[in-house]
Amino acid sequence: CVTGAALAGLRGAAVAALSGGALYVGLVTFLARGWLPPPADQPTALYTLTRGEVVYYVLVTLLMLVVVTLLAGFLAERLRVEAGRAVIAEARADRAERMAALGRLAAGLAHEIRNPLGSIAGSIQLLRDNPALSDEDKQLCDIVQREAERLNDLVTDMMDLTRRREPVLAQVDLSSVAREVVALASTSGRGGSDVRVEYQGLERAEVRADSAQIRQLIWNLVRNAVQASNPGDVVVVSLESDPAGLVLAVADHGPGIDEAARERLFDAFFTTRSHGTGVGLAVVKAIAEAHGFSVEVDSREGRGATFRVHLTSPAAPGPGPLAAAEA
């Protein structure tokens, strides 16, 4: 039974028990009827049994087989579950080791990259303000400044991903933070030119979170949505309540995400865009997990994407998400 359970769980243990039980009943029957002689080195009287004794031994043995079968199946299921947990723990350990190595690399490069980036951005801004520049030269300056900002965002994302600190929880008005992010996104990058960013939903909703980290989470989602949008599109940031807490959603009308890409969407350095880095959404996932929140994406190729963060952590004393929504 134990061998069968190890190979095929409860089903394997049951097959082994049935086989063993059938063989045992056959052996006892053959001995009782005299069709099978007892061992030559043992007294014959030991194998001379009445009908009641035969029935008793068979029933007790079969009952023991049932007990052993159930126990073996239970242990096999526990072994399967623990093996799955061990695989997950090993994957997390490997990921943590890679992140630690990346963190050491990022820490060394961040200072070396940011200093020249600051000089480049400042110099380009001064150069662009020169009235002697033609419109074409100013456009080239805009390209350089935009790419410098993108490099600075990449360095920031790498530092956020690899040097994640534990969240310092406090009561945060999530709707206020979301509106601030929307206002900032509406005046920077494509949000200030060809993509509109809007906020919809609750006017006030409190949640226990780290204010700086939750702001980073929303900013990364909005930035991802703006980057995926086409000129003239609208990115909608919404905040609603449900029976489990609050749901923050960021929706775009971009090209969408196919099923294969969705499975790896939150992996570090995985991206579906030619100019993407694959770090921003990994930071979102890390922040959400640190808070006990969950993130999901709803998307079909060619029909945009909606990222939802379910904020279900317990709130501090005072009005919770639902109470805030009713107010």
Side-chain angles (χ1 to χ4, degrees), residues 111-188:
H111 179 73
E112 299 300 327
I113 293 176
R114 272 187 166 153
N115 280 346
L117 274 180
S119 300
I120 292 171
S123 300
I124 287 297
Q125 185 61 44
L126 291 174
L127 183 60
R128 190 187 184 284
D129 294 338
N130 189 335
L133 287 182
S134 65
D135 291 341
E136 184 178 355
D137 292 335
K138 289 183 179 181
Q139 289 179 358
L140 293 175
C141 289
D142 288 340
I143 292 174
V144 174
Q145 188 170 17
R146 184 170 61 249
E147 293 303 307
E149 291 175 354
R150 191 164 71 89
L151 285 175
N152 186 66
D153 288 340
L154 172 59
V155 172
T156 301
D157 285 343
M158 289 182 64
M159 296 300 295
D160 288 339
L161 181 64
T162 57
R163 298 178 63 179
R164 175 64 48 201
R165 63 175 177 83
E166 289 297 318
V168 179
L169 301 182
Q171 200 77 351
V172 177
D173 182 3
L174 191 63
S175 62
S176 177
V177 174
R179 286 195 296 268
E180 290 173 5
V181 172
V182 168
L184 178 61
S186 298
T187 59
S188 61

Side-chain angles (χ1 to χ4, degrees), residues 235-312:
V235 171
V236 177
V237 180
S238 60
L239 182 61
E240 303 293 341
S241 62
D242 68 6
L246 294 171
V247 179
L248 172 75
V250 179
D252 64 67
H253 298 86
I257 308 165
D258 61 41
E259 185 175 354
R262 285 201 301 272
E263 296 178 357
R264 300 185 54 197
L265 198 58
F266 295 101
D267 292 350
F269 306 113
F270 173 79
T271 180
T272 58
R273 293 193 298 270
S274 58
H275 296 291
T277 62
V279 178
L281 291 180
V283 173
V284 168
K285 184 72 169 179
I287 293 175
E289 289 181 345
H291 283 77
F293 303 155
S294 62
V295 187
E296 64 180 19
V297 58
D298 180 17
S299 176
R300 283 190 291 176
E301 195 170 3
R303 298 194 178 183
T306 299
F307 288 82
R308 294 185 179 89
V309 183
H310 296 269
L311 304 100
T312 55

